[in-house]
Amino acid sequence: AQDEFPDKACSIAIIPQNEKDAVLSDCDSDESDMDYEGETGHLPAKLLNAYAEVMLTEHDWNDGQPEEPRAKLQVVKNKDRVFKRSKSCPDPMDIFLLMYPPTLREITVEMSNLYSTQTKGKQLNLSMDELLTFYGILITSGYSSVPRRHMYWSVDNDVHNESISDAMRRKRFDEIMASVHVVDNTKITNDPFFKVRPIFSELNQSYKVMPFQEWLSVDESMIPYYGRHGCKQFIKGKPIRFGYKVWSLASSSGYMYHMEPYCGSHTLLPETGLGQGPSVIIGLAEKAQVPQGCKFIHDNLFTTLSLMDEMTKRGYGSSGTMRQNRLSDVPFTPVNAFMKFPRGTSEVLCQGEKLLVRWKDNNIVTVATNMEEKYTETSVKRWNRHRRAFDNVQQPKCISQYNEHMGGVDLHDLQVSRYHISVRSKKWWWPIFAWSLNSALVNAHLFYRDVIGGTIDLLTFSRIVSQSLLKKFGTKPLSHGRRSLLSATVEDQARYDKASHWPINTMHRFQRCRHCDKRTTYACEKFGVPLHIECFKMYHGV
């Protein structure tokens, strides 16, 4: 790299592939994996001494649009993985605005102004700065929640949020909340998600800024919603049982690449004739333009033998658990007989380029894969309740890989739910709008951590983004609102307690007496309220 750029000092770091913390599970089975809960911490920064090739320099964060100079990136290539590395660490707010693209923000400004004119008959005059301030308030509500959103603007000390009240008036926030839109209602279609379709299409494009990792996870995400809508789903066993179902493609570390909301026959995924599960896998791979060589991990909702054959033809790796009712033509030992075998027993069958493995743990688990030419095993620990100690059990390598890389979508959902936006609305599409901001925030944090090399956690990252938006784009009001009833009640109780109220000379000549409204230099020492000596007793009720 230094030979190609002799005038620049190149410092190239190779970032290792992310791995989730190993979860010691005592129950691998053919049951649904939808109740899996992943958990990751910060991964250690490992430096690899490997050959790297500089592919591209001076990549603009804003797709070539002329703006103020920002951090320049280098794209480095290590074998089949491509990563971006910056010479100076970009601001977290810039990364978030990269994930939540300018095109989507411009659509929101235009359609919100149009909606206000069409339905309310008045101009909203929403500007881009106000929209970004609006986003900052919503993100702040994720980690600093109050029972009612109006409390953010209260002057009471226990709930007052200075960063929000100094960025936007409460009345202006309510006006934006009532009119925010991303589509023109006069051009409605038969798409059940017409109201939010631009959100999914724009985010699916912006999320591709992260190069595809080798291991990809496919699963369904749930956006919580408890109202009435034709596309609301119920999934037993999910942490979020009621809501909108979204077919999602994510990396094993939790970075979301592509998502398509499920709406029955109107779902925008191609039909392959292989069934719903295989159509989702192949459809996400096509629409996301996943390069050949990537490996898909999926649960038993999607896995079929025909899917393995199709993925092999397309140059993709595929591995997933299988349901027993999809193995009718496979000559495995009957389930009742196999359950009597000792723990760690495995059975292997090969069909062309497919490898079918059945393994006995606490229950029976069956995995199909096209990524292994021969069967291999690894050793894992399992708790023996009779000996009250761990036993070393042989586990098929394909099952070990499944446990290691499955759960990326659930991990993304977990990160989104930690600091989700608490501001609510009665509109059916509001949960999707709020979820999109949280999803972009989680992706921005993963990009900042894995590509840029940042070390801050998601909470700190969210606080930096929200406060940067409020400080940079907010407009401080000239004055605050009036006192609330609670503040007046607390002050009145202390006003008449007849304890430690003493007059002092403040030496300020232009104060107005609270009782007679005339000028005075004296005030109450406890309250700081301007009062004449003559008015002191009457004010405190002595």
Side-chain angles (χ1 to χ4, degrees), residues 109 131 135 386:
V109 171
L131 180 65
Y135 290 161
H386 301 292

Side-chain angles (χ1 to χ4, degrees), residues 127-415:
S127 65
M128 184 61 70
D129 287 355
E130 286 181 322
L131 180 65
L132 294 174
T133 305
F134 179 74
Y135 290 161
I137 295 175
L138 294 180
I139 296 173
T140 302
S141 71
Y143 60 83
S144 178
S145 60
V146 290
R148 295 186 297 272
R149 69 169 186 259
H150 284 178
M151 287 185 173
Y152 286 121
W153 288 269
S154 173
V155 296
D156 298 333
N157 294 331
D158 56 340
V159 294
H160 177 66
N161 192 307
E162 185 176 356
S163 62
I164 291 179
S165 61
D166 286 349
M168 179 179 287
R169 283 284 194 181
R170 186 185 74 180
K171 182 179 179 181
R172 185 57 176 170
F173 181 85
D174 291 341
E175 291 175 350
I176 299 175
M177 273 285 295
S179 300
V180 63
H181 262 69
V182 294
V183 291
D184 184 359
N185 285 348
T186 61
K187 300 179 181 179
I188 190 170
T189 65
N190 59 354
D191 182 6
F193 287 99
F194 162 77
K195 285 273 194 176
V196 292
R197 184 59 65 182
I199 294 178
F200 289 104
S201 59
E202 294 295 334
L203 290 183
N204 284 336
Q205 293 181 12
S206 65
Y207 286 175
K208 302 304 186 296
V209 67
M210 172 79 87
F212 282 95
Q213 296 187 11
E214 181 183 7
W215 294 92
L216 301 175
S217 174
V218 177
D219 206 346
E220 65 268 13
S221 293
M222 288 294 289
I223 302 176
Y225 177 68
Y226 300 96
R228 295 183 178 181
H229 193 272
C231 293
K232 188 178 74 170
Q233 301 288 313
F234 169 76
I235 301 182
K236 183 179 179 180
K238 273 285 187 179
I240 302 172
R241 296 182 299 164
F242 294 92
Y244 303 113
K245 182 165 71 173
V246 181
W247 300 122
S248 302
L249 174 67
S251 68
S252 59
S253 62
Y255 184 90
M256 184 74 70
Y257 286 109
H258 199 90
M259 47 197 174
E260 287 292 340
Y262 172 74
C263 47
S265 59
H266 296 282
T267 306
L268 301 183
L269 288 176
E271 180 61 41
T272 61
L274 301 177
Q276 184 190 58
S279 295
V280 171
I281 301 288
I282 297 172
L284 289 176
E286 287 182 357
K287 301 202 71 174
Q289 298 180 353
V290 179
Q292 292 185 352
C294 290
K295 302 175 181 178
F296 289 76
I297 303 295
H298 37 82
D299 60 18
N300 53 34
L301 174 65
F302 306 94
T303 310
T304 63
L305 297 180
S306 58
L307 172 65
M308 295 293 162
D309 296 333
E310 184 65 24
M311 295 293 279
T312 302
K313 294 178 183 178
R314 294 173 179 259
Y316 297 126
S318 181
S319 179
T321 55
M322 290 197 66
R323 297 177 179 178
Q324 293 296 330
N325 57 9
R326 298 177 182 177
L327 296 170
S328 56
D329 297 333
V330 180
F332 272 135
T333 303
V335 175
N336 294 334
F338 197 79
M339 280 294 295
K340 299 179 182 179
F341 293 154
R343 194 177 198 177
T345 304
S346 59
E347 190 174 6
V348 184
L349 292 176
C350 293
Q351 290 186 355
E353 297 184 4
K354 300 186 297 292
L355 184 67
L356 303 179
V357 178
R358 171 174 284 178
W359 183 57
K360 172 66 167 55
D361 195 21
N362 280 359
N363 209 329
I364 296 176
V365 56
T366 306
V367 170
T369 180
N370 64 353
M371 298 183 295
E372 291 190 15
E373 297 180 356
K374 61 180 181 179
Y375 174 76
T376 55
E377 292 183 343
T378 183
S379 179
V380 295
K381 291 183 178 180
R382 290 291 184 267
W383 178 256
N384 190 322
R385 62 181 179 179
H386 301 292
R387 295 178 52 249
R388 301 186 64 83
F390 282 102
D391 290 339
N392 289 325
V393 178
Q394 292 300 113
Q395 183 186 60
K397 185 179 179 181
C398 58
I399 296 180
S400 176
Q401 290 178 340
Y402 176 88
N403 292 334
E404 180 181 359
H405 300 289
M406 184 59 186
V409 176
D410 292 330
L411 184 59
H412 184 88
D413 289 344
L414 175 66
Q415 300 289 349

